[in-house]
Amino acid sequence: MAAFPFSPPVRPLAGGAPHTVRLALVGDLDYEVGDEVLHQVLHALRGGEDVRDLRLDCQGLGTVDSAGLAVLLQIHRHTSEDGTGFHLDNMGPRLERLLHITGTYEYLTAPQQAAPSVGSASSAGSAGSAEGDPGTLDSGA
């Protein structure tokens, strides 16, 4: 294996708006680290007071495999259920391409603002509409 010191896959970022959790995703998001990334992101969301938005900075993100994509979808689902905004910042062309090919680009990047706590039914409705769209499976190739 590599002789490099371990680097955490999720790093907190300073600054930003109040009630916003900003995290950097670093390295590959794959089967090996997916569970840890999910755990760290959910822990950060639960640890903040009155969190309304989650911003994931993807600038340092390497390869994303199917397990990594599943982690992003799980995080999105959790934020939707909680009425928390979800944002992918600084996506590189490789991540954008993966999201387009898998039909998840619009679902993961559509503006999702923090909803009132009583709005959980509207959050579930918007997630269901993306799943029911027959065009999401077409890669265009």
Side-chain angles (χ1 to χ4, degrees):
M1 288 284 175
F4 301 110
F6 176 73
S7 175
V10 179
R11 295 183 188 157
L13 294 174
H19 310 291
T20 299
V21 172
R22 294 181 64 232
L23 303 170
L25 300 178
V26 181
D28 295 339
L29 181 52
D30 57 17
Y31 177 79
E32 291 183 27
V33 299
D35 288 340
E36 181 63 21
V37 168
L38 180 60
H39 172 76
Q40 289 182 14
V41 170
L42 295 180
H43 180 73
L45 286 172
R46 290 181 188 120
E49 284 190 36
D50 195 23
V51 175
R52 296 183 192 150
D53 282 304
L54 170 65
R55 302 200 78 89
L56 297 176
D57 188 298
C58 301
Q59 185 172 7
L61 193 59
T63 302
V64 178
D65 69 4
S66 59
L69 177 58
V71 167
L72 293 176
L73 291 167
Q74 287 175 311
I75 294 168
H76 185 275
R77 183 186 54 162
H78 282 282
T79 58
S80 293
E81 289 171 355
D82 294 344
T84 303
F86 176 89
H87 311 274
L88 294 174
D89 298 330
N90 301 314
M91 283 193 300
R94 289 175 27 188
L95 179 57
E96 282 189 33
R97 183 173 189 275
L98 174 68
L99 298 183
H100 280 294
I101 288 172
T102 59
T104 58
Y105 181 84
E106 290 184 19
Y107 178 71
L108 289 175
T109 62
Q112 177 184 346
Q113 299 300 320
S117 59
V118 292
S120 61
S122 65
S123 297
S126 65
S129 65
E131 292 171 1
D133 182 6
T136 59
L137 298 178
D138 181 16
S139 67

